[in-house]
Amino acid sequence: MVNLEEIKKEAKKILEEGKVKYIIGYAKSSNALMAAPTFVKKPEDIDKLIWDPTCFQNLVKFLIDEKRKKAREKEPDTRPIGIFVKGCDSRAINVLLQEKFITREDVYIMGLSCEDVGVLDKKKIFKKLKGEKPEKIEFDQRKNIVISTKEKTIKIPLKEILAERCLECTSSFPVISDVFWGDRNNRSPKEPFKCLEQIESLSQEEKWDFWQQQLSKCIRCYACRSVCPMCYCDECVVDSINLAITADTTAEEKAQKIKWIEKSPESSENFGYHLVRAMHLAGRCIDCSECERVCPVDIPIRFLNKKLEKVTKELFDYKAGLDPEQPSLVSSFKDEDPEDFIR
Amino acid sequence: MKKRTGVFVCHCGINIAGTVDVKNVAEELMKHSNVAHSEDYVYMCSDPGQKLIENSIKEHSLDSVVIACCSPNLHETTFRNCAKAAGINEFQCEIANIREQCSWVHKDKLKATEKAKKITHSTVERVVKNKSLEPISIPVTRRGLVIGGGIAGIQAALDMANSGYEVVLVEKSPSIGGHMIQLSETFPTLDCSQCILTPKMVEVSKHPKIKLLTYSEVQEITGYVGNFKAKILKKPTYVDPTKCTLCDECIDVCPIVVPNEFDLGLTGRKAIYIPFPQAIPATFTLDIANCPGLLPIACGKCMDVCEPEAINYDMKPEIIEEEIGSIVLATGYDLYDKENMKEYGYGKYADVLDGLQFERLLSASGPTMGEVLRPSDHKVPKEVVFIQCVGSRDPELHCAYCSKICCMYTAKHAMLYKHHVPDGQAYIFYIDIRSGGKDYEEFVQRAKEEDGLVYLRGKVSKIFEENGKITVWGADTLAGKDIEINADMVVLATAMRPAKGAEEFAKKLKISLDKDGFLSEAHPKLKPVESVTSGLFFAGAAQAPKDIPEAVAQASGAASKAIIILSQDQLFHSPMVAKVSLNLCTGCGMCVDVCPYDSLSLKDNKAEVNEVLCEGCGTCSATCLRAAIEVKNITPVQIYEMIDASVGG
Amino acid sequence: MAEEFEPKIIAFLCKWCSSAGSDLAGVSRMKYPPNVVPITVMCSGSVSPLYIFNAFQKGADGVLVSGCHPGDCHYIQGNFYARRRIALVKELIEYIGLEPQRFKMSWVSAAEGKKYTQIIQEFVQELKPLGPQKKLRREK
Ligand SMILES: Cc1cc2nc3c(=O)[nH]c(=O)nc-3n(C[C@H](O)[C@H](O)[C@H](O)COP(=O)(O)OP(=O)(O)OC[C@H]3O[C@@H](n4cnc5c(N)ncnc54)[C@H](O)[C@@H]3O)c2cc1C
Ligand code: SF4
Ligand code: SF4
Ligand code: SF4
Ligand code: SF4
Ligand code: SF4
Ligand code: FES
């Protein structure tokens, strides 16, 4: 069992020792169902820290901001950043290491095992509450959640309101860490890709209808991209004209910009965006589901990424973020890679 | 400035014009805002056609051209030169293939014309975004490397050195000379092999431009044409050649006797030895694998007797690094392993020999001082059976290819045997006689007629030892009868194989081998001495079975190819190479992983291209998630426009 | 009678094998339908998924990517990377409901003019019943 007091003790210690620049962790927010990211800089502030199933955000995204900030500083503080990570989040760190976006020395990884639980899916709870606003929540034996609203108090089994990804999670503990709390028990959900079956069983036209309906909702706010720890590119191919600007680029060329994908939220462009993004996340997406969580129009983005996760596993026996030393999915190959689809 | 492109549509007689309305293509393209001039002509590649292009470029101040014609594989160079002659950059000329990929494969003129328009339009889009490029020049290290010191390597090294270039010659054994130095007399002229080879060996050792590294092996070659780096391991000989006086004292005291490689085990040698008297370099080598031990010293007898103190047990392996412009590989051959030829009793019966062993027996400096004697009892063999094609031309069990030289050396062997033992009888089993080569057929005929050799066409079915004789069962297919010969000696013309370790060596150097393990040339007809790696050439039996004249001719060919590189002030490389947009690159290194030529590296967290190594394959650009790397003149932006034009309205 | 639907195919051919193979089809005067417009690239490994999506967005009814057989790539291994990348593209576009027949990959060597011809013939035959590709096409 993860003991919050031990976590705080370690956090306090490393802050006092000056071992880290600051710690990115979770604290209570005004929204009872959602922990807020917090940046603890002083030892006396560690009591803010919490650890429970409301800590669903992936804090790794903040490392990207930190890197950008550091790049602008003249004399940056080069101490590592302390960061709390769950199993999925830790794999995001591995991908960033693999892609050399950060170095191991940049982070002090504080690993938290989700053990047999996981994190909440806010949307599932909202459905259960039918519009009532939660005032207070408590966890009962890590089995149930007890939610109090103005009107009433209800008890819901955690199973029913855990995030889908947690229900399908195969390694609910960090695969890389400097300190670690909780157990390292592998979970083995029988069908880790069960969620895809529904779509996979559709006919081709039904698939199209499904995605057409879903993706036509996209307003191209790019919240999904902004929250994704893997979407750290300075300039996304989807925005950029992708004209390599070098010393010999003429003004005229700059003026004749082309875009692979237009920003307008039309069907073709929306498909373009999501296809490109899904391709770019193949072998990189670690299924933190942040993209889907933040989507204001509830597009099931996870089903796209999860599909490629499945394909990647089945065709290439590759899983994202397991090992920072492994070559990237698309920058490697095996002689025996399948080619039965090739004429 | 807006590009001014010219479009030139070729009729190719009726080859194109028969199916494509060339006038219509030219007219259509004229509508393109970048096209300043377009026209069609019956044969663009003809002299008047080229003149027409040149004049139009000047007249209409064109800065780029598209020639809609046959495949770029045919006339790209022609038209690029033509563009260059008219004063525009050659990379501002692109070919739209409307013949092989259009007029020749379609019938419907209307549709073929529409397609030709799209292809040409797409090419115009490309050229409009083409940059003027200059071939990348690379400096040349004017120094050659020859690997393998057989006749082929010796010849190549001498030719290069005599042309004025420094050459490093690396030989893995203690002396140069290769297999030729083991031979007795050579067909078809019967000159003594050592007599004609040793002068060349001496020339090598004395040549001021040749750096000879024997007992050495190339461990690694990096770099590229004109600029290779070779890492060479020089094994310790434990004898300082500058002090050794060849007094032989050490041999006398050395207690260890092992089979002598030079005589193919027909004699023994000591652990400290000189391979043969005329060895180059002329010095002794202490064979550490067979010496009872130097550290700690287990014997030390040789050192004790060596007066000039040439023996030094502290000698260490040395890694020598050499910078090289071009390389000739001449690692030669070995004979097919005894292991594989058990059915002939080879390796089992002392009097069953291979061709090279028989050469030693014939050699005046050989184990028997040139007398043909049986290894088992030193008697003169009165009946000798020679068997050709042992392991060759046997796709089921052994090597599928013909070893080429065995017919000739077997005739030579039998002839020389008869010269030594005039009352002896020589039988030769053969499949057929291949004696193509100057004076070769005459040589074989002479052997048959003058020396009374008995040629038996057929295969040998069994060989076994009985009462001190080697019984050979075979068939004479011409006479249609079985034959049994009770011979005193059997000589097998075993197949020629690539030198031992060639496969490993090739892997290390990233050279491709053919199915039989010989070095594989870039083109079987037009590039017989070139490898696919530019700057690397082949000579001798390492490339295929060969006799001496062929090995020498190929060596001179390879040397001249190598010299072509060394004689350049600089070399040129296609400028269509990768280019990184530093603002987009995040330094993820995925491109570095995929590049087949190791031309990419990360520097300050950004990808960096070594333009000289880049072959412009574009794999990096499709891998990069940020489209931060692209190949010049075939960039994603160009492809974008080409897709537009190719899909059409 | 309404005119028969003629699919538009964009074929990304590697320069060394597939483009040369299609040249051979020409030299041998083989015949195939004119629906395909080739874009010759250096290697199948240089075909970015962006090109494929873009071709569909611009209204291609079918897209072909063709390279050298495994082991024969002029650049040693470009086609191995392509094989992986294209497998992903293929799975993805089928998953979102585009007709799988619309996207093909093939190995065509410089000696396989006949194979190239057959591939194009088959491709056109498979695409005809599907009608125009409108799913990913941009509205104009
Ligand atoms: C029995 C017999 C009789 C023959 N008689 C005749 C004849 O009468 N007339 C005739 O024209 N031809 C004859 N030949 C053929 C002749 O031997 C060859 O044509 C000739 O020796 C080929 O020379 P080479 O330099 O290519 O190879 P080799 O002579 O094999 O020389 C290769 C050299 O490279 C060295 N080497 C190998 N690997 C490495 C390495 N990795 N690094 C460094 N060094 C290496 C070897 O030690 C060797 O010194 C005969 C052959 C045989 C088997
Ligand atoms: S999928 Fe959702 S979050 Fe992403 S851009 Fe579209 S609307 Fe925004
Ligand atoms: S979608 Fe692709 S290009 Fe865009 S930010 Fe994400 S990874 Fe980068
Ligand atoms: S794509 Fe979504 S689930 Fe995958 S890493 Fe990004 S935010 Fe997480
Ligand atoms: S793959 Fe792209 S982003 Fe990554 S290092 Fe290479 S050029 Fe840079
Ligand atoms: S184009 Fe090919 S050879 Fe050149 S850097 Fe890219 S991957 Fe390497
Ligand atoms: S060159 Fe043909 S696939 Fe690479």
Side-chain angles (χ1 to χ4, degrees):
Chain A
M1 264 275 283
V2 180
N3 179 333
L4 183 60
E5 290 315 309
E6 280 175 29
I7 299 178
K8 289 182 182 170
K9 218 169 100 194
E10 167 74 10
K12 191 163 175 205
K13 195 179 106 205
I14 57 171
L15 283 172
E16 280 171 353
E17 288 172 356
K19 203 164 167 183
V20 294
K21 195 166 153 194
Y22 57 82
I23 295 171
I24 315 175
Y26 301 97
K28 282 215 165 347
S29 79
S30 54
N31 183 337
L33 291 178
M34 175 175 149
T38 187
F39 297 76
V40 188
K41 300 199 169 84
K42 293 190 256 112
E44 52 272 29
D45 291 340
I46 48 124
D47 276 325
K48 292 202 284 197
L49 292 173
I50 61 164
W51 170 240
D52 64 28
T54 64
C55 301
F56 41 69
Q57 290 201 38
N58 182 347
L59 303 176
V60 173
K61 185 75 192 183
F62 292 107
L63 292 178
I64 294 159
D65 302 340
E66 167 66 23
K67 170 163 170 164
R68 298 225 161 94
K69 242 190 4 253
K70 211 155 89 182
R72 285 193 299 270
E73 280 164 4
K74 278 221 180 68
E75 279 167 39
D77 180 346
T78 55
R79 281 176 299 167
I81 307 298
I83 183 166
F84 282 100
V85 295
K86 304 183 289 292
C88 46
D89 311 341
S90 76
R91 284 184 281 123
I93 291 203
N94 268 347
V95 177
L96 293 184
L97 287 172
Q98 181 184 21
E99 298 177 359
K100 301 166 193 68
F101 191 73
I102 57 170
T103 65
R104 191 62 184 85
E105 293 69 45
D106 290 339
V107 274
Y108 185 75
I109 307 170
M110 309 171 78
L112 294 164
S113 171
C114 295
E115 304 194 298
D116 50 352
V117 192
V119 293
L120 304 180
D121 183 334
K122 230 170 41 169
K123 286 171 188 163
K124 283 189 184 171
I125 301 182
F126 279 137
K127 257 196 210 140
K128 297 254 180 196
L129 292 180
K130 303 195 177 70
E132 285 179 55
K133 202 171 170 319
E135 304 267 279
K136 193 171 143 249
I137 62 160
E138 260 171 37
F139 295 96
D140 161 20
Q141 307 266 333
R142 299 164 57 83
K143 290 257 173 325
N144 301 298
I145 180 170
V146 182
I147 309 178
S148 315
T149 67
K150 277 212 176 74
E151 268 93 77
K152 58 176 188 260
T153 297
I154 54 165
K155 187 164 165 176
I156 312 171
L158 271 178
K159 273 209 307 288
E160 291 176 26
I161 43 92
L162 281 188
E164 280 304 303
R165 73 170 195 278
C166 298
L167 296 172
E168 294 171 347
C169 179
T170 48
S171 54
S172 58
F173 57 86
V175 290
I176 182 170
S177 59
D178 292 297
V179 271
F180 181 86
W181 294 278
D183 68 30
R184 281 196 164 91
N185 294 333
N186 264 317
R187 296 189 197 175
S188 34
K190 270 183 219 79
E191 293 149 297
F193 298 107
K194 181 133 187 81
C195 63
L196 298 176
E197 274 172 21
Q198 206 187 336
I199 304 176
E200 285 173 339
S201 65
L202 298 176
S203 73
Q204 173 225 312
E205 282 313 304
E206 287 166 343
K207 278 186 192 139
W208 173 255
D209 291 341
F210 172 81
W211 284 114
Q212 161 72 18
Q213 200 189 14
Q214 292 298 341
L215 295 187
S216 62
K217 293 189 297 194
C218 178
I219 51 172
R220 303 290 286 286
C221 66
Y222 293 148
C224 46
R225 190 177 73 187
S226 312
V227 79
C228 174
M230 258 63 263
C231 281
Y232 60 74
C233 308
D234 294 324
E235 199 173 338
C236 176
V237 281
V238 155
D239 297 332
S240 78
I241 40 90
N242 245 260
L243 177 69
I245 307 221
T246 49
D248 55 349
T249 313
T250 64
E252 194 208 2
E253 280 169 334
K254 283 186 199 159
Q256 293 179 343
K257 291 180 171 184
I258 58 139
K259 277 190 180 157
W260 290 104
I261 318 282
E262 297 292 332
K263 173 91 197 254
S264 52
E266 282 162 23
S267 172
S268 169
E269 309 303 338
N270 285 354
F271 269 93
Y273 167 58
H274 286 284
L275 288 173
V276 170
R277 185 162 182 274
M279 272 305 292
H280 281 190
L281 287 159
R284 304 174 67 236
C285 167
I286 44 75
D287 195 17
C288 62
S289 303
E290 286 288 271
C291 47
E292 182 161 315
R293 179 179 67 83
V294 299
C295 177
V297 294
D298 289 342
I299 294 174
I301 308 173
R302 183 170 173 264
F303 286 156
L304 281 174
N305 299 324
K306 201 70 187 168
K307 172 67 182 177
L308 286 185
E309 184 184 326
K310 179 180 173 187
V311 168
T312 297
K313 178 82 195 137
E314 288 177 353
L315 299 187
F316 311 120
D317 194 23
Y318 186 100
K319 190 172 153 125
L322 284 189
D323 174 8
E325 300 300 322
Q326 74 182 347
S328 299
L329 173 74
V330 293
S331 67
S332 56
F333 67 84
K334 290 193 193 128
D335 286 345
E336 65 274 15
D337 280 350
E339 55 173 8
D340 42 6
F341 64 99
I342 302 173
R343 171 79 162 78
Chain B
M1 222 192 49
K2 200 162 169 182
K3 274 258 179 106
R4 292 177 60 81
T5 304
V7 175
F8 300 88
V9 188
C10 182
H11 299 203
C12 195
I14 57 158
N15 280 312
I16 294 172
T19 346
V20 168
D21 183 344
V22 283
K23 287 226 160 6
N24 188 239
V25 174
E27 279 160 19
E28 181 71 22
L29 265 299
M30 198 54 211
K31 294 179 192 156
H32 191 286
S33 68
N34 285 106
V35 175
H37 174 75
S38 88
E39 69 185 290
D40 59 279
Y41 183 71
V42 58
Y43 286 112
M44 284 292 172
C45 62
S46 67
D47 253 6
Q50 294 189 46
K51 262 270 139 344
L52 175 150
I53 297 171
E54 271 185 59
N55 291 340
S56 298
I57 291 174
K58 289 178 191 146
E59 188 181 329
H60 301 279
S61 327
L62 305 177
D63 54 15
S64 50
V65 289
V66 167
I67 323 291
C69 57
C70 51
S71 168
N73 291 337
L74 299 170
H75 277 306
E76 189 177 75
T77 318
T78 313
F79 292 122
R80 286 198 165 163
N81 286 338
C82 166
K84 209 160 136 187
I88 66 176
N89 184 276
E90 59 193 294
F91 293 92
Q92 297 289 4
C93 166
E94 294 289 349
I95 308 296
N97 179 348
I98 60 165
R99 193 178 76 178
E100 285 82 348
Q101 294 183 339
C102 187
S103 73
W104 274 352
V105 286
H106 307 312
K107 281 183 268 191
D108 184 324
K109 190 156 182 175
L110 219 61
K111 286 180 178 165
T113 306
E114 284 316 301
K115 175 170 164 180
K117 284 180 195 168
K118 285 182 183 173
I119 295 175
T120 314
H121 181 188
S122 158
T123 316
V124 168
E125 294 299 348
R126 178 174 179 191
V127 98
V128 162
K129 289 199 157 52
N130 264 9
K131 290 263 184 323
S132 294
L133 303 175
E134 293 304 332
I136 298 164
S137 77
I138 27 184
V140 183
T141 309
R142 300 183 142 190
R143 202 143 191 269
L145 169 67
V146 176
I147 306 175
I151 179 60
I154 290 173
Q155 185 63 46
L158 286 174
D159 282 359
M160 287 160 79
N162 288 335
S163 307
Y165 300 100
E166 280 176 30
V167 183
V168 181
L169 174 57
V170 178
E171 165 59 50
K172 74 173 173 194
S173 63
S175 171
I176 54 172
H179 286 103
M180 183 175 166
I181 197 71
Q182 294 173 298
L183 306 180
S184 53
E185 290 161 36
T186 54
F187 63 75
T189 46
L190 296 186
D191 9 28
C192 145
S193 192
Q194 300 197 340
C195 313
I196 56 176
L197 180 55
T198 45
K200 281 192 188 282
M201 290 164 60
V202 172
E203 193 183 345
V204 165
S205 72
K206 297 261 149 62
H207 207 297
K209 296 261 180 197
I210 297 180
K211 175 168 175 183
L212 177 59
L213 296 173
T214 48
Y215 218 40
S216 300
E217 274 176 71
V218 176
Q219 302 243 291
E220 187 186 81
I221 290 181
T222 51
Y224 43 89
V225 59
N227 299 274
F228 294 106
K229 280 203 177 67
K231 235 193 217 153
I232 302 158
L233 169 74
K234 180 149 181 52
K235 293 174 279 184
T237 57
Y238 304 101
V239 178
D240 181 345
T242 57
K243 293 188 186 156
C244 173
T245 58
L246 299 174
C247 68
D248 280 6
E249 296 283 345
C250 50
I251 313 193
D252 294 342
V253 297
C254 178
I256 305 290
V257 182
V258 293
N260 183 351
E261 299 85 355
F262 185 70
D263 285 334
L264 299 119
L266 294 175
T267 57
R269 65 156 171 89
K270 294 295 181 67
I272 189 161
Y273 71 111
I274 183 162
F276 49 94
Q278 312 93 316
I280 297 286
T283 181
F284 279 72
T285 298
L286 194 159
D287 164 14
I288 186 67
N290 289 304
C291 172
L294 296 177
L295 302 167
I297 297 169
C299 160
K301 291 201 170 74
C302 52
M303 178 127 120
D304 293 345
V305 298
C306 182
E307 244 166 58
E309 292 180 352
I311 297 176
N312 171 8
Y313 293 159
D314 293 328
M315 229 182 236
K316 294 271 166 333
E318 223 183 311
I319 296 281
I320 300 170
E321 296 201 13
E322 295 285 351
E323 298 199 347
I324 294 298
S326 56
I327 304 172
V328 174
L329 270 181
T331 49
Y333 70 98
D334 271 310
L335 289 184
Y336 201 38
D337 237 346
K338 280 193 175 59
E339 292 305 302
N340 303 315
M341 296 312 322
K342 290 215 173 85
E343 64 249 50
Y344 288 109
Y346 178 34
K348 188 161 151 205
Y349 309 130
D351 298 329
V352 177
L353 304 177
D354 67 26
L356 282 176
Q357 287 175 317
F358 196 66
E359 291 284 344
R360 295 310 302 143
L361 285 187
L362 293 170
S363 169
S365 63
T368 52
M369 296 306 177
E371 265 189 86
V372 181
L373 299 174
R374 303 215 306 176
S376 62
D377 53 12
H378 288 253
K379 287 200 184 119
V380 177
K382 293 290 181 201
E383 280 188 298
V384 180
V385 173
F386 295 87
I387 307 175
Q388 295 192 178
C389 296
V390 175
S392 302
R393 304 172 68 190
D394 189 350
E396 271 95 53
L397 298 174
H398 302 290
C399 311
Y401 56 87
C402 164
S403 291
K404 197 174 180 184
I405 57 163
C406 326
C407 292
M408 290 307 297
Y409 76 62
T410 302
K412 173 187 80 177
H413 283 172
M415 176 194 267
L416 292 176
Y417 164 69
K418 289 287 286 182
H419 293 179
H420 283 87
V421 187
D423 61 338
Q425 189 51 264
Y427 302 94
I428 300 168
F429 281 97
Y430 72 105
I431 302 180
D432 43 33
I433 304 290
R434 299 182 171 180
S435 53
K438 190 169 171 174
D439 290 337
Y440 285 13
E441 178 59 18
E442 294 88 322
F443 180 81
V444 174
Q445 289 310 332
R446 197 169 78 222
K448 279 186 185 169
E449 287 156 18
E450 291 177 13
D451 296 304
L453 310 181
V454 180
Y455 269 84
L456 299 165
R457 182 177 183 146
K459 283 213 161 190
V460 167
S461 56
K462 197 169 174 175
I463 292 181
F464 56 96
E465 208 174 36
E466 210 176 41
N467 312 327
K469 290 257 181 190
I470 311 260
T471 306
V472 179
W473 284 355
D476 179 348
T477 52
L478 288 183
K481 59 177 184 196
D482 289 340
I483 291 181
E484 179 177 325
I485 301 167
N486 289 316
D488 297 310
M489 189 188 266
V490 172
V491 179
L492 309 176
T494 40
M496 261 173 135
R497 301 283 307 144
K500 293 211 176 70
E503 197 175 332
E504 227 175 289
F505 186 66
K507 217 174 256 161
K508 244 189 309 195
L509 267 58
K510 295 191 196 130
I511 310 162
S512 51
L513 299 178
D514 66 19
K515 61 182 194 316
D516 300 314
F518 291 103
L519 297 168
S520 91
E521 61 276 15
H523 189 283
K525 297 179 185 70
L526 301 177
K527 292 185 173 175
V529 303
E530 286 102 320
S531 74
V532 283
T533 309
S534 91
L536 193 75
F537 306 98
F538 305 149
Q543 184 253 345
K546 275 189 190 64
D547 58 21
I548 296 164
E550 283 178 327
V552 169
Q554 199 189 17
S556 290
S560 86
K561 290 284 177 187
I563 292 168
I564 290 176
I565 289 171
L566 301 184
S567 64
Q568 308 289 320
D569 290 329
Q570 52 193 359
L571 295 169
F572 292 100
H573 179 74
S574 161
M576 279 182 64
V577 291
K579 163 171 97 172
V580 181
S581 307
L582 295 179
N583 55 327
L584 299 178
C585 172
T586 65
C588 71
M590 279 158 78
C591 54
V592 178
D593 290 347
V594 298
C595 177
Y597 300 96
D598 295 336
S599 33
L600 294 167
S601 56
L602 290 178
K603 194 177 157 210
D604 300 333
N605 264 317
K606 302 280 175 191
E608 191 181 53
V609 185
N610 183 342
E611 297 197 334
V612 177
L613 290 180
C614 172
E615 293 287 334
C617 71
T619 305
C620 52
S621 98
T623 305
C624 178
L625 302 180
R626 293 101 204 162
I629 187 163
E630 59 185 29
V631 175
K632 290 177 188 172
N633 282 3
I634 181 136
T635 64
V637 174
Q638 288 175 298
I639 302 272
Y640 178 99
E641 302 288 3
M642 291 172 79
I643 296 172
D644 238 3
S646 303
V647 176
Chain C
M1 207 183 79
E3 217 182 292
E4 198 189 2
F5 164 65
E6 289 295 351
K8 292 183 205 154
I9 301 170
I10 299 296
F12 295 99
L13 310 179
C14 89
K15 168 174 171 162
W16 304 96
C17 287
S18 296
S19 192
S22 90
D23 276 358
L24 181 66
V27 173
S28 324
R29 308 297 201 277
M30 293 168 184
K31 295 286 178 272
Y32 55 81
N35 305 52
V36 55
V37 180
I39 294 180
T40 298
V41 292
M42 298 306 276
C43 172
S44 65
S46 76
V47 178
S48 158
L50 282 172
Y51 301 174
I52 299 159
F53 299 145
N54 193 253
F56 282 126
Q57 282 192 299
K58 286 174 176 163
D61 299 307
V63 175
L64 170 73
V65 176
S66 190
C68 317
H69 286 268
D72 291 349
C73 172
H74 185 78
Y75 305 103
I76 312 163
Q77 35 184 238
N79 53 358
F80 287 114
Y81 295 109
R83 184 171 66 180
R84 240 189 203 197
R85 207 162 17 234
I86 301 297
L88 295 172
V89 173
K90 183 131 184 81
E91 293 279 348
L92 185 61
I93 61 176
E94 290 180 25
Y95 180 68
I96 56 116
L98 190 74
E99 296 84 353
Q101 301 92 310
R102 294 201 185 274
F103 180 55
K104 260 195 205 308
M105 180 166 188
S106 62
W107 303 137
V108 172
S109 78
E112 292 176 326
K114 181 97 202 136
K115 181 171 177 187
Y116 182 75
T117 305
Q118 284 165 351
I119 287 171
I120 300 303
Q121 282 165 344
E122 285 167 21
F123 207 177
V124 172
Q125 281 319 307
E126 285 171 40
L127 289 175
K128 278 194 173 168
L130 298 182
Q133 184 276 122
K134 290 187 187 141
K135 289 178 177 166
L136 296 179
R137 191 169 83 191
R138 282 183 176 142
E139 320 252 324
K140 277 201 202 126

